[in-house]
Amino acid sequence: MNKRSSLLQRFVAAPYVVWSVLFIVIPLIMVIYYSFTNGDGDFTLSNIYTLLEPEYITLFLRSIAYAFIATIICFILAFPLAYFIAQTSPRTQKTAMMLIMLPMWTNLVIRTFSLSNIIADEGVINTILAPIGLQINIIDSPYAVILGMVYNYLPFMALPIYTVISKLDKHVIEAAQDLGCNKRTVLSKVVLPLSKSGIVSGITMVFVPAISTFYISAKLGGTDGRLIGQEIESAFMSSADKNFGSSISLVLMILIMISIAIMNKFSDDDEKGGGMIL
Amino acid sequence: MNNLEHNALLRLQNISVKFDDDQILNDLSLNINEKEFVTLLGPSGCGKTTTLRILAGFVTPDSGDVLFEGKRINDIPPYERQINTIFQKYALFPHLNVYENVAFGLRVQKKSEEEIEKTVHEMLELVNLKGFDKRNINSLSGGQQQRVSIARALAVKPRVLLLDEPLGALDLKLRKDMQNELKGIQQRLGITFIYVTHDQEEALSMSDTVVVMNGGKIQQIGSPLDIYNEPENAFVADFIGESNIIDGVMLDDYKASFAGRVFDCLDKGFNKNEPVDVVIRPEDVDVVPVEKGMICGEVTSVTFKGVHFEIIVDINGFKWMIQTTDYEPVGAKIGLFIEPDAIHIMKKSEYSGMYGDYSSFSDELDKLSEITEAEDE
């Protein structure tokens, strides 16, 4: 009986194992291999050394900073939004969540391209504002990149937070009110800590794609807003230097892994302290 | 009645509540005294939980006033009321340990760390959870979780404690223990308890005052003894314990006619020949040989209940439930003897004829309906 079920399990898992090996493990090994070799296939650390030059350090720091800022803005916008939606009737909740998901039905490239047209110097917003003498020139600036990140990734923050908040036991919230919490303290003492799992996954789902994006910064950032993702793209595409591209990717992956580890440490600590239901 | 108006701590005046088109509470008025243990008793959907939620501040009545020490508190939010609630499903904070759950209200009040520690330990001792401080809420049993929620509510020193079927999720044995403990806590701390339950035994054994509710209205308010011995209408008589409720006529003071003959009784003050409902408790009837019986009939079913037998007797087509310690086999002809003090006369009400006949009685159905009721709540 045991043997049969484990055979069945193996059979069911097989496609996933093949998939993982083909598209995750092998590419990962290739990235590591290329990172430490030159064009002739000889071992070298020069790719990694190049990354220590100020130019690339700046790009890494900028990517981290922009992704960090965009993640925080997404959280500040998404948390109240999710909390508010969770209070409404089930019907309204469904509609509201659909409206949040709706932009996702369009490809990121198209959405970002549209956004660049909207905020361009001669774009939709400025055309509307022109008669009253106002102009907003943010295209090709860091502001535009962060705006693009927030615009594209907000649903990834709102969705997991909403899911957790909508499942909160309403009696727990009533118990907090009963024990003297007003609306604000209910939020800070009960709702916020209890939605931590949603917040952590929201942060991960925004931060990771934001730190490695290249299209958003290429389309909206100009030269000042250049990010590390663009460097990877150009290493592979324009200079066809797959060794250097791989080494940037590898370092970025390590940076992301470190950020996720830090984030998980936060949520793990809670588990020990009070037991979060995930 | 011990609900004297002038010293009532809490007063509900002409409260009505509608949810959508359902009339949940209909012109309900109730006074609750300081240090009183009041139980709101009724079947599911009778409005007892809504009444509790109005007192807690979670529901605002459509009309009527809620007074606390004579002051109207309709618009005072829950967090500003000196009234705390024990929720049926405990509603503990899953992200906090036992100590922090109990300390929650005190932290909101910004009490000093020393005072919090002193109070929390006092409360944990009160509910027999000494040493559980660091325990995770989810590692506790249902009974322990309920103790934490009691400690948490009592830590903020409420004037009134509302308990919404607090023992509903516990097994029978634990429930009995907790009943005694709750009663003990109430007496020791001198706090007003308002307790909601659909379990009549719980209501009778714990309360100073029982409020029987049905259909959004109060059916009767009284001491457990009053409620049991002097039910006001057929609903109360049927809901509290077992009752044979027979159609009868009050011929004169102390003379009632039912089941085909005239009985002496202790009730008076009815009109001559007024139709009434007659309540006779199954344990108040004596089983005697046929020739000595005031009325007689045939046994149609016998169930052994441990202390007594529960037998159903067919008397001229009306089935009575009798509890007796003597075994009578099915088919036996027996006589029944009813003392005047076993007879309770009630005025006719909207519930007349709906309850108190055991012709369709079955133990199994009774149990089933209890289970579904518990699930409904």
Side-chain angles (χ1 to χ4, degrees):
Chain A
M1 185 68 199
N2 246 336
K3 219 165 198 168
R4 276 219 339 245
S5 70
S6 88
L7 255 178
L8 180 73
Q9 280 168 7
R10 268 186 234 175
F11 181 74
V12 173
Y16 181 70
V17 172
V18 172
W19 177 277
S20 308
V21 170
L22 273 181
F23 298 107
I24 300 173
V25 179
I26 293 174
L28 207 57
I29 292 169
M30 282 164 68
V31 166
I32 295 169
Y33 171 76
Y34 285 132
S35 298
F36 295 104
T37 50
N38 59 22
D40 305 326
D42 299 326
F43 176 80
T44 174
L45 286 174
S46 68
N47 295 324
I48 307 291
Y49 284 137
T50 315
L51 286 175
L52 292 174
E53 284 167 17
E55 188 199 339
Y56 293 104
I57 300 274
T58 312
L59 283 181
F60 272 115
L61 290 179
R62 188 188 288 156
S63 293
I64 293 172
Y66 286 11
F68 186 73
I69 293 168
T71 307
I72 288 183
I73 295 175
C74 276
F75 172 70
I76 290 169
L77 292 176
F79 186 82
L81 179 72
Y83 183 66
F84 172 74
I85 290 173
Q87 314 294 313
T88 59
S89 73
R91 233 185 118 88
T92 321
Q93 287 186 33
K94 244 185 207 161
T95 319
M97 284 330 282
M98 231 221 359
L99 287 175
I100 288 179
M101 294 300 296
L102 200 64
M104 316 283 293
W105 297 356
T106 318
N107 184 283
L108 176 132
V109 173
I110 298 169
R111 268 180 289 149
T112 308
F113 184 74
S114 317
L115 185 65
S116 77
N117 278 327
I118 292 170
I119 61 170
D121 289 344
E122 309 284 311
V124 178
I125 290 181
N126 282 337
T127 315
I128 294 169
L129 289 179
I132 55 167
L134 268 175
Q135 287 291 285
I136 297 172
N137 299 320
I138 59 164
I139 191 89
D140 294 342
S141 78
Y143 301 110
V145 178
I146 290 169
L147 176 69
M149 287 175 173
V150 171
Y151 167 65
N152 276 307
Y153 301 130
L154 187 66
F156 294 110
M157 182 69 87
L159 212 63
I161 296 180
Y162 162 79
T163 309
V164 174
I165 292 184
S166 68
K167 285 197 187 118
L168 284 187
D169 180 359
K170 72 175 193 326
H171 289 114
V172 170
I173 291 166
E174 281 183 354
Q177 292 177 326
D178 199 64
L179 291 164
C181 284
N182 56 29
K183 282 207 169 79
R184 199 177 51 80
T185 39
V186 165
L187 210 61
S188 64
K189 280 182 174 284
V190 179
V191 180
L192 202 59
L194 283 180
S195 37
K196 199 162 267 174
S197 65
I199 295 169
V200 168
S201 47
I203 288 174
T204 314
M205 283 166 71
V206 172
F207 185 77
V208 172
I211 200 173
S212 56
T213 185
F214 64 90
Y215 190 77
I216 293 175
S217 56
K219 201 68 211 163
L220 304 171
T223 42
D224 287 349
R226 194 171 169 80
L227 296 181
I228 199 70
Q230 283 164 271
E231 211 57 51
I232 300 173
E233 195 224 0
S234 69
F236 279 107
M237 297 300 167
S238 12
S239 27
D241 184 353
K242 56 181 183 290
N243 302 89
F244 185 52
S246 294
S247 63
I248 312 177
S249 303
L250 188 67
V251 172
L252 187 60
M253 262 191 278
I254 290 165
L255 283 178
I256 290 173
M257 274 163 64
I258 292 170
S259 342
I260 291 178
I262 292 171
M263 213 110 69
N264 284 344
K265 184 150 185 344
F266 269 112
S267 47
D268 283 353
D269 279 351
D270 276 333
E271 222 144 325
K272 262 180 240 146
M276 162 113 52
I277 305 171
L278 288 171
Chain B
M1 202 153 298
N2 49 4
N3 286 297
L4 292 173
E5 287 223 347
H6 57 271
N7 62 359
L9 177 68
L10 263 171
R11 290 167 67 180
L12 293 173
Q13 291 179 326
N14 310 100
I15 300 284
S16 292
V17 175
K18 244 184 190 173
F19 290 155
D20 297 326
D21 280 335
D22 284 341
Q23 188 82 43
I24 306 295
L25 293 178
N26 194 349
D27 199 30
L28 179 132
S29 296
L30 177 64
N31 295 326
I32 292 156
N33 295 325
E34 183 111 48
K35 298 182 182 179
E36 198 176 2
F37 195 128
V38 181
T39 299
L40 307 180
L41 174 67
S44 40
C46 73
K48 55 192 194 297
T49 296
T50 306
T51 309
L52 207 68
R53 290 175 62 79
I54 287 173
L55 291 170
F58 296 125
V59 173
T60 313
D62 298 334
S63 62
D65 289 325
V66 188
L67 304 178
F68 183 75
E69 294 186 312
K71 280 192 254 351
R72 186 173 181 274
I73 58 166
N74 285 38
D75 306 317
I76 306 280
Y79 54 88
E80 283 172 14
R81 298 189 184 193
Q82 288 177 292
I83 299 173
N84 285 93
T85 309
I86 305 283
F87 295 86
Q88 184 179 7
K89 295 202 174 87
Y90 323 134
L92 295 170
F93 303 117
H95 60 301
L96 302 174
N97 63 20
V98 170
Y99 182 95
E100 286 303 324
N101 261 278
V102 180
F104 188 91
L106 303 165
R107 290 206 192 283
V108 174
Q109 293 175 0
K110 305 229 185 318
K111 290 272 179 357
S112 76
E113 205 59 42
E114 282 162 48
E115 201 183 335
I116 291 175
E117 196 181 326
K118 190 171 153 280
T119 314
V120 171
H121 285 137
E122 223 173 83
M123 289 303 142
L124 286 179
E125 199 166 332
L126 184 74
V127 297
N128 287 323
L129 283 181
K130 223 174 153 184
F132 277 67
D133 304 33
K134 295 279 174 288
R135 290 282 287 277
N136 185 324
I137 289 301
N138 299 306
S139 71
L140 302 181
S141 69
Q144 289 168 334
Q145 292 194 21
Q146 191 55 288
R147 285 162 197 270
V148 175
S149 88
I150 292 164
R152 181 179 70 174
L154 291 174
V156 293
K157 309 250 182 308
R159 298 281 302 279
V160 179
L161 193 67
L162 309 176
L163 302 101
D164 186 7
E165 306 229 12
L167 310 181
L170 305 180
D171 63 62
L172 188 69
K173 172 85 174 61
L174 199 56
R175 202 152 65 205
K176 297 270 180 230
D177 294 345
M178 288 294 287
Q179 283 175 13
N180 292 333
E181 268 184 62
L182 276 174
K183 185 73 190 159
I185 288 170
Q186 192 256 342
Q187 283 165 345
R188 220 170 327 152
L189 301 181
I191 298 174
T192 306
F193 271 37
I194 304 175
Y195 194 100
V196 158
T197 183
H198 65 262
D199 180 342
Q200 40 119 350
E201 214 181 299
E202 201 165 279
L204 294 180
S205 62
M206 295 173 85
S207 325
D208 300 321
T209 304
V210 178
V211 179
V212 184
M213 295 178 66
N214 190 42
K217 284 186 195 157
I218 292 176
Q219 302 297 327
Q220 188 170 2
I221 304 176
S223 71
L225 221 58
D226 284 346
I227 298 272
Y228 191 82
N229 290 336
E230 311 282 334
E232 209 135 294
N233 59 38
F235 175 81
V236 178
D238 180 74
F239 194 76
I240 315 288
E242 300 290 351
S243 303
N244 300 293
I245 305 173
I246 307 118
D247 225 16
V249 174
M250 205 60 188
L251 299 174
D252 204 344
D253 283 355
Y254 314 116
K255 284 258 178 287
S257 156
F258 59 90
R261 63 161 287 169
V262 177
F263 291 81
D264 289 325
C265 65
L266 304 178
D267 300 76
K268 57 170 181 164
F270 292 86
N271 294 328
K272 272 205 170 128
N273 296 322
E274 181 178 339
V276 291
D277 288 333
V278 180
V279 178
I280 295 166
R281 297 287 185 184
E283 70 274 20
D284 290 342
V285 180
D286 295 323
V287 177
V288 293
V290 174
E291 58 277 11
K292 286 187 189 162
M294 297 164 104
I295 46 178
C296 51
E298 191 183 315
V299 176
T300 60
S301 100
V302 185
T303 316
F304 180 55
K305 287 285 181 182
V307 181
H308 58 257
F309 293 99
E310 203 167 80
I311 62 180
I312 306 292
V313 186
D314 187 333
I315 297 169
N316 301 331
F318 189 91
K319 301 216 171 160
W320 293 51
M321 177 191 279
I322 313 292
Q323 289 165 354
T324 170
T325 47
D326 304 318
Y327 176 73
E328 298 290 345
V330 172
K333 294 253 191 289
I334 56 168
L336 301 181
F337 189 85
I338 302 162
E339 301 269 7
D341 66 356
I343 298 169
H344 171 63
I345 309 289
M346 304 182 304
K347 282 203 181 298
K348 284 277 179 194
S349 69
E350 56 181 307
Y351 300 108
S352 296
M354 288 165 69
Y355 304 103
D357 173 12
Y358 288 90
S359 55
S360 58
F361 177 76
S362 117
D363 252 355
E364 215 171 317
L365 273 177
D366 212 31
K367 287 227 175 67
L368 276 176
S369 70
E370 257 171 44
I371 291 164
T372 41
E373 185 161 282
E375 279 170 353
D376 280 352
E377 287 289 318

